[in-house]
Protein backbone atom coordinates (compact mmCIF):
# COMPACT_ATOMS: atom_id res chain seq x y z
CA UNK A 1 0.00 0.00 0.00
CA UNK A 2 1.35 3.42 -0.92
CA UNK A 3 1.29 6.35 1.51
CA UNK A 4 -1.48 7.97 -0.54
CA UNK A 5 -3.55 4.77 -0.43
CA UNK A 6 -3.07 4.58 3.35
CA UNK A 7 -4.19 8.19 3.75
CA UNK A 8 -7.26 7.56 1.59
CA UNK A 9 -8.11 4.43 3.57
CA UNK A 10 -7.91 6.31 6.89
CA UNK A 11 -9.86 9.32 5.60
CA UNK A 12 -12.59 7.07 4.17
CA UNK A 13 -12.88 5.29 7.52
CA UNK A 14 -13.12 8.63 9.36
CA UNK A 15 -15.79 9.90 6.97
CA UNK A 16 -17.73 6.69 7.58
CA UNK A 17 -17.75 7.49 11.30
CA UNK A 18 -19.32 10.95 10.89
CA UNK A 19 -22.48 11.11 12.94
CA UNK A 20 -21.42 8.56 15.56
CA UNK A 21 -22.21 9.69 19.11
CA UNK A 22 -20.98 8.41 22.43
CA UNK A 23 -23.45 6.95 24.88
CA UNK A 24 -24.11 7.69 28.52
CA UNK A 25 -20.99 8.22 30.63
CA UNK A 26 -18.79 8.62 27.53
CA UNK A 27 -19.41 4.99 26.47
CA UNK A 28 -18.10 4.48 22.93
CA UNK A 29 -17.43 1.62 20.53
CA UNK A 30 -13.80 2.63 19.95
CA UNK A 31 -12.85 1.78 23.53
CA UNK A 32 -14.14 -1.77 22.95
CA UNK A 33 -11.71 -2.42 20.08
CA UNK A 34 -9.35 -5.23 21.17
CA UNK A 35 -6.31 -3.61 19.51
CA UNK A 36 -7.00 -0.27 21.20
CA UNK A 37 -7.14 -2.09 24.54
CA UNK A 38 -3.82 -3.83 23.74
CA UNK A 39 -2.22 -0.58 22.57
CA UNK A 40 -3.16 1.25 25.75
CA UNK A 41 -2.74 -1.68 28.12
CA UNK A 42 -6.17 -1.05 29.62
CA UNK A 43 -9.80 -0.57 28.55
CA UNK A 44 -10.44 3.18 28.25
CA UNK A 45 -14.22 2.96 28.39
CA UNK A 46 -16.10 5.91 29.91
CA UNK A 47 -13.28 8.36 29.19
CA UNK A 48 -13.57 11.26 26.75
CA UNK A 49 -13.26 9.38 23.48
CA UNK A 50 -11.48 11.62 20.97
CA UNK A 51 -8.18 9.88 21.77
CA UNK A 52 -9.58 6.35 21.48
CA UNK A 53 -11.27 7.33 18.20
CA UNK A 54 -7.89 8.22 16.69
CA UNK A 55 -6.24 5.11 18.13
CA UNK A 56 -9.06 2.96 16.73
CA UNK A 57 -8.67 4.57 13.31
CA UNK A 58 -5.03 3.58 13.11
CA UNK A 59 -5.57 0.12 14.67
CA UNK A 60 -8.53 -0.79 12.46
CA UNK A 61 -6.92 0.40 9.25
CA UNK A 62 -3.29 -0.60 9.77
CA UNK A 63 -3.14 -3.17 12.59
CA UNK A 64 -1.76 -2.94 16.12
CA UNK A 65 1.97 -2.95 15.29
CA UNK A 66 1.66 -0.22 12.65
CA UNK A 67 -0.74 1.81 14.82
CA UNK A 68 1.84 1.74 17.60
CA UNK A 69 4.48 3.12 15.24
CA UNK A 70 2.15 5.67 13.65
CA UNK A 71 0.94 7.06 16.99
CA UNK A 72 4.34 6.75 18.72
CA UNK A 73 2.77 4.75 21.54
CA UNK A 74 4.48 1.66 22.96
CA UNK A 75 2.14 -1.33 22.94
CA UNK A 76 0.64 -1.79 26.37
CA UNK A 77 1.75 1.65 27.53
CA UNK A 78 -0.30 3.97 25.35
CA UNK A 79 -2.61 6.73 26.47
CA UNK A 80 -6.22 7.80 26.16
CA UNK A 81 -5.34 11.32 27.33
CA UNK A 82 -4.74 14.00 24.71
CA UNK A 83 -1.88 15.61 26.64
CA UNK A 84 0.00 12.34 26.99
CA UNK A 85 -0.62 11.30 23.39
CA UNK A 86 0.67 14.69 22.21
CA UNK A 87 3.77 14.14 24.36
CA UNK A 88 4.46 10.85 22.53
CA UNK A 89 4.55 12.82 19.27
CA UNK A 90 6.69 15.58 20.78
CA UNK A 91 9.17 13.09 22.26
CA UNK A 92 9.48 11.43 18.83
CA UNK A 93 10.11 14.77 17.11
CA UNK A 94 6.90 14.31 15.13
CA UNK A 95 4.86 17.21 16.52
CA UNK A 96 4.45 20.14 14.14
CA UNK A 97 1.97 22.93 13.54
CA UNK A 98 0.84 22.42 9.94
CA UNK A 99 -0.87 19.03 9.74
CA UNK A 100 -1.63 17.26 6.50
CA UNK A 101 -4.56 15.07 5.50
CA UNK A 102 -4.24 11.76 7.34
CA UNK A 103 -2.31 13.23 10.27
CA UNK A 104 -3.35 12.96 13.87
CA UNK A 105 -4.10 16.49 15.06
CA UNK A 106 -3.99 17.91 18.57
CA UNK A 107 -5.92 21.03 19.53
CA UNK A 108 -4.18 23.16 22.13
CA UNK A 109 -5.85 25.47 24.60
CA UNK A 110 -4.23 27.09 27.61
CA UNK A 111 -0.88 25.63 26.60
CA UNK A 112 -2.02 21.99 26.66
CA UNK A 113 -3.62 19.58 24.23
CA UNK A 114 -7.24 19.03 25.17
CA UNK A 115 -8.75 17.52 22.01
CA UNK A 116 -7.59 15.53 19.03
CA UNK A 117 -8.70 13.93 15.81
CA UNK A 118 -7.60 12.91 12.33
CA UNK A 119 -7.30 15.47 9.54
CA UNK A 120 -9.56 14.54 6.61
CA UNK A 121 -9.26 17.75 4.63
CA UNK A 122 -8.70 21.47 4.86
CA UNK A 123 -7.44 24.59 3.22
CA UNK A 124 -4.95 27.16 4.41
CA UNK A 125 -5.12 27.28 8.20
CA UNK A 126 -8.45 25.41 8.40
CA UNK A 127 -8.76 21.68 8.87
CA UNK A 128 -11.59 19.20 8.63
Amino acid sequence: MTEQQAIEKLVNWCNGEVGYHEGAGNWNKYSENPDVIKLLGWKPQNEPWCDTFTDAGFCINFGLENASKMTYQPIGKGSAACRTSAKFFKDAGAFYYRPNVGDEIFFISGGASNHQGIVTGGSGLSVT
Side-chain angles (χ1 to χ4, degrees):
M1 172 182 316
T2 67
E3 182 177 349
Q4 186 58 40
Q5 289 170 325
I7 291 168
E8 289 173 11
K9 182 177 183 178
L10 182 61
V11 167
N12 287 337
W13 178 83
C14 289
N15 288 334
E17 297 301 302
V18 171
Y20 177 78
H21 297 280
E22 66 190 353
N26 287 330
W27 189 96
N28 67 89
K29 65 184 181 180
Y30 311 111
S31 295
E32 297 293 322
N33 181 284
D35 283 342
V36 169
I37 295 168
K38 289 175 189 171
L39 180 64
L40 302 184
W42 61 288
K43 188 175 182 178
Q45 198 54 270
N46 303 109
E47 299 289 331
W49 58 280
C50 58
D51 194 302
T52 54
F53 166 80
T54 58
D55 291 340
F58 288 100
C59 285
I60 289 167
N61 287 285
F62 309 111
L64 177 60
E65 297 288 331
N66 287 326
S68 171
K69 292 173 188 171
M70 297 168 93
T71 63
Y72 304 96
Q73 298 180 85
I75 294 174
K77 297 180 182 179
S79 176
C82 296
R83 290 178 182 163
T84 305
S85 293
K87 187 175 182 326
F88 286 128
F89 277 79
K90 288 177 183 176
D91 290 350
F95 193 92
Y96 51 93
Y97 294 92
R98 299 256 181 186
N100 295 306
V101 172
D103 286 347
E104 189 163 347
I105 186 171
F106 296 92
F107 296 90
I108 299 171
S109 177
S113 176
N114 61 4
H115 189 57
Q116 69 189 79
I118 298 170
V119 178
T120 60
S123 176
L125 297 177
S126 297
V127 295
T128 305

